[in-house]
Amino acid sequence: MANLILILGDQLSPQLSALAKADKHQDQVVMAEVYDEASYTNHHKKKLAFIFSAMRHFARELEQDGWRVHYQTYHPDNPDKSLEAVVARLTKELNPDALMTTECGEWRLHSQICQWHESLGIPVVIHPDTRFVCHKEEFAKWAKGRKQLRMEFFYREMRKKTGLLMTPDGKPEGEQWNFDANNRKKWSGKPPAPAPFRVEPDAITRDVLQLVNDHFADHFGSSDDFHFAVTHEQAQQALEHFIDFALPCFGDYQDAMSDHEDWLFHSILSPYLNTGLLDPVTTCEAVVQAWYSGRAPLNAVEGFVRQIIGWREFVRGIYWLLMPGYAQENRLGNTRALPWFYWTGDTKMRCLHKAIDASARNAYAHHIQRLMVTGNFALLTGIKPEDICDWYLAVYIDAFDWVELPNTLGMVMHADGGYLGSKPYAASGKYIQRMSDHCQNCHYRVQDATGDRACPFNALYWHFIDRHRDDFANNPRMTMMYRNWDKQPEQRRQAIISRGEWLLEHIEEL
Ligand SMILES: Cc1cc2nc3c(=O)[nH]c(=O)nc-3n(C[C@H](O)[C@H](O)[C@H](O)COP(=O)(O)OP(=O)(O)OC[C@H]3O[C@@H](n4cnc5c(N)ncnc54)[C@H](O)[C@@H]3O)c2cc1C
Ligand code: SF4
């Protein structure tokens, strides 16, 4: 036999570099559902079911295409509990010349695979992951010598590189790079939000759901009502569904939150993009085409393209530029453990309850819930970065270390000192009130900062500002906050700080 090709659960792309370099008549593929990968964190049941089912469907497609695939389905009694053990067994059995793979998306496994040649006794060839617009080396070159890394400038480079939303003479369509200012509307129920794309589980998915319920019953979330796409064809249909029904309003309501609607006008495409069921550039091309043909406005289409070739590529670049040290960053010195209600949703704070409850049911919450509700609360209360990063990695169907870590540790927790944002996204209850209808159904009163029923976000916000004066007072984007705080009468400041202290001491009771 020639080579063994290892394909991981987030590498389900027919154009994967390791496959492109292989020969289906000689080389053989290995894919495995293993205990170590399924249980290194408390992965949501729907996340496990999605990845296992998509892997099984992809293995079947490869076999139909003529590949020989060695596939290990999950069972707790399997003797090979790690990918390395599976590959070692097959290496003994098949005696390949080399192991070929595509670089994986997280440092933990990457650093292990880099050592495998020693235990396997054969060369391990790691091909670059070509499914991104910006290669790691290209990002490192762009970042070199820059004092601050700003997504907006990187994004413009990616627009030029891909030609997405560029005129033939090299200008941005609509004469602006960014239409974000148009994308901040509150949603009042109209126009109605479309139902999300649904696929009824087939026999493979039903088997996997049974397996997850049998063997991962103690993992977070519910496996009920699983309706995610698990093949390339279905993921393509999900993209078309988004373009037809949600894209026209995606921009306007991108930052909105609702007490009644889980998905609003978001694309729900991240699980497919992150596992290889959709390609990012062709996805953006289809969305851009909707603008050229008059089916969606430019603010929506530009906003979507920016999330993918801007933010998604940018966070990946930061991850590989700064790992492994990045994961240890804690520049604000946080020490508090994650409150238990992040796992139960059992809190009187309506906005948090709704975001956590949706996460448990759907393995999904949209960006503003992640950033401005669960994230904002963790930032204001000084949760340890490792605790909150582990939570985000576990609960979302799209969570993989390379994208989860920079978003949580950098964008939300500001634990990296500002690579992902020039100021922390800290906000009081006013922001949540402006962008949602949660507050009108809440136990707490959003207009109050002190008193038993005062919205916890208010006092916690000022407590955060006050206790991090040394970190932020000289940040030009924070000057106004400090001026506002310092203007408050001393007595009022004292009352707010006392309320903040009380909230921090009684965090589990909120
Ligand atoms: C604390 C925190 C943790 C996050 N963890 C993840 C994660 O583990 N995996 C993940 O894919 N995204 C993560 N995000 C980014 C973003 O919230 C999700 O990509 C988005 O909610 C997925 O839903 P959607 O497909 O409906 O997105 P849409 O709102 O429809 O956006 C379109 C696409 O843009 C991309 N995108 C948007 N924002 C970002 C971003 N900040 N970083 C990277 N890609 C982005 C996604 O691929 C997404 O599918 C996180 C954000 C925060 C604040
Ligand atoms: S009042 Fe405060 S805690 Fe309640 S929903 Fe509004 S922002 Fe959230």
Side-chain angles (χ1 to χ4, degrees):
M1 187 210 155
N3 298 314
L4 197 54
I5 318 294
L6 172 66
I7 298 182
L8 305 173
D10 60 351
Q11 297 183 338
L12 310 179
S13 315
Q15 68 277 24
L16 192 74
S17 55
L19 280 175
K21 302 273 178 199
D23 177 351
K24 69 172 94 156
H25 304 294
Q26 295 183 36
D27 301 328
Q28 300 185 15
V29 169
V30 50
M31 297 175 72
E33 301 164 9
V34 290
Y35 174 85
D36 281 9
E37 297 305 313
S39 45
Y40 69 83
T41 188
N42 182 17
H43 297 294
H44 195 296
K45 294 189 189 76
K46 281 197 170 90
K47 181 182 180 188
L48 288 172
F50 165 66
I51 295 176
F52 285 177
S53 179
M55 284 172 71
R56 291 184 188 194
H57 282 90
F58 187 60
R60 195 174 63 172
E61 283 169 25
L62 288 176
E63 281 171 343
Q64 285 164 353
D65 192 33
W67 290 92
R68 170 91 168 88
V69 181
H70 301 269
Y71 194 98
Q72 172 172 295
T73 53
Y74 181 86
H75 193 280
D77 298 338
N78 284 342
D80 299 329
K81 302 231 181 294
S82 67
L83 287 168
E84 186 177 5
V86 173
V87 171
R89 173 174 49 79
L90 285 169
T91 301
K92 261 195 197 142
E93 279 171 34
L94 303 171
N95 195 24
D97 296 336
L99 178 75
M100 308 245 274
T101 190
T102 291
E103 59 192 357
C104 67
E106 62 176 21
W107 184 268
R108 176 189 62 88
L109 190 56
H110 172 74
S111 52
Q112 290 172 22
I113 294 178
C114 287
Q115 303 304 320
W116 281 5
H117 61 280
E118 289 173 8
S119 57
L120 297 178
I122 55 170
V124 175
V125 182
I126 302 175
H127 295 286
D129 194 341
T130 50
R131 300 174 301 166
F132 291 88
V133 179
C134 184
H135 303 303
K136 290 174 184 174
E137 298 70 27
E138 186 185 346
F139 188 87
K141 208 166 140 199
W142 175 80
K144 198 167 176 200
R146 283 173 199 260
K147 254 189 169 167
Q148 284 196 319
L149 303 183
R150 288 291 157 254
M151 195 288 294
E152 186 61 30
F153 300 123
F154 170 78
Y155 164 56
R156 292 178 192 180
E157 296 301 316
M158 295 302 106
R159 286 271 295 275
K160 289 181 206 156
K161 182 173 179 186
T162 56
L164 286 163
L165 287 177
M166 299 299 290
T167 62
D169 59 347
K171 303 244 165 60
E173 291 286 11
E175 295 171 13
Q176 257 172 254
W177 291 102
N178 181 319
F179 291 84
D180 210 24
N182 302 1
N183 293 0
R184 291 180 194 144
K185 288 195 185 135
K186 185 169 180 166
W187 184 68
S188 57
K190 283 193 186 134
F197 177 73
R198 294 183 65 91
V199 178
E200 290 313 314
D202 64 5
I204 293 180
T205 303
R206 288 197 300 272
D207 277 356
V208 161
L209 286 165
Q210 188 62 52
L211 179 158
V212 168
N213 288 333
D214 288 348
H215 302 303
F216 297 92
D218 58 340
H219 274 228
F220 180 71
S222 162
S223 64
D224 293 349
D225 194 31
F226 182 96
H227 61 261
F228 289 100
V230 288
T231 66
H232 299 95
E233 202 184 331
Q234 293 166 359
Q236 184 61 33
Q237 289 164 6
L239 168 60
E240 285 158 22
H241 179 93
F242 165 63
I243 292 173
D244 288 344
F245 299 110
L247 178 62
C249 292
F250 171 83
D252 285 0
Y253 303 111
Q254 200 178 350
D255 285 4
M257 292 176 280
S258 163
D259 218 49
H260 314 286
E261 286 289 340
D262 290 337
W263 319 87
L264 289 171
F265 299 90
H266 291 273
S267 69
I268 323 163
L269 295 177
S270 50
Y272 316 133
L273 290 161
N274 293 352
T275 49
L277 297 188
L278 282 179
D279 172 70
V281 173
T282 48
T283 297
C284 288
E285 283 166 354
V287 166
V288 167
Q289 199 46 47
W291 176 63
Y292 284 125
S293 59
R295 293 160 64 209
L298 187 52
N299 67 310
V301 169
E302 186 282 318
F304 182 85
V305 168
R306 176 160 26 90
Q307 303 310 315
I308 300 213
I309 64 166
W311 279 113
R312 187 171 184 272
E313 296 282 335
F314 185 68
V315 298
R316 178 177 183 263
I318 299 251
Y319 180 84
W320 287 107
L321 187 70
L322 301 176
M323 280 300 276
Y326 194 65
Q328 312 307 322
E329 291 277 21
N330 182 9
R331 302 265 183 108
L332 297 182
N334 293 354
T335 52
R336 197 175 306 282
L338 188 72
W340 186 244
F341 61 70
Y342 269 70
W343 298 108
T344 62
D346 197 5
T347 164
K348 296 189 285 294
M349 291 176 282
R350 181 74 176 182
C351 50
L352 270 159
H353 166 74
K354 285 304 240 180
I356 297 166
D357 178 59
S359 308
R361 281 183 289 108
N362 302 327
Y364 178 89
H366 61 72
H367 186 65
I368 294 302
Q369 290 176 302
R370 299 188 204 193
L371 181 65
M372 300 309 295
V373 178
T374 44
N376 186 24
F377 189 80
L379 171 74
L380 299 183
T381 53
I383 304 301
K384 277 186 278 188
E386 67 205 80
D387 278 21
I388 187 71
C389 289
D390 198 42
W391 185 79
Y392 279 102
L393 188 63
V395 306
Y396 293 119
I397 190 165
D398 56 24
F400 296 90
D401 207 42
W402 65 267
V403 54
E404 176 276 319
L405 188 74
N407 267 299
T408 310
L409 189 132
M411 193 185 294
V412 161
M413 299 305 290
H414 212 77
D416 61 359
Y419 270 105
L420 265 104
S422 48
K423 75 175 189 59
Y425 282 90
S428 68
K430 231 189 227 158
Y431 176 89
I432 294 170
Q433 182 190 29
R434 194 164 64 239
M435 297 313 299
S436 79
D437 55 352
H438 292 314
C439 302
Q440 62 209 49
N441 299 318
C442 186
H443 165 87
Y444 294 105
R445 287 206 296 252
V446 70
Q447 62 276 22
D448 296 347
T450 56
D452 290 351
R453 297 287 287 271
C455 168
F457 280 87
N458 293 336
L460 289 171
Y461 172 75
W462 291 118
H463 194 281
F464 173 85
I465 294 288
D466 193 65
R467 76 175 182 271
H468 287 295
R469 189 180 283 276
D470 289 350
D471 297 301
F472 300 123
N474 293 328
N475 180 331
R477 296 194 62 204
M478 304 278 285
T479 317
M480 173 83 99
M481 280 77 156
Y482 282 97
R483 210 176 293 142
N484 286 343
W485 178 232
D486 292 340
K487 255 187 350 213
Q488 305 273 334
E490 176 63 21
Q491 210 180 357
R492 172 143 177 90
R493 278 195 286 153
Q494 279 307 328
I496 291 176
I497 292 296
S498 302
R499 166 81 175 150
E501 294 288 337
W502 187 91
L503 291 164
L504 291 172
E505 277 163 30
H506 296 83
I507 194 165
E508 295 287 358
E509 296 158 35
L510 306 178

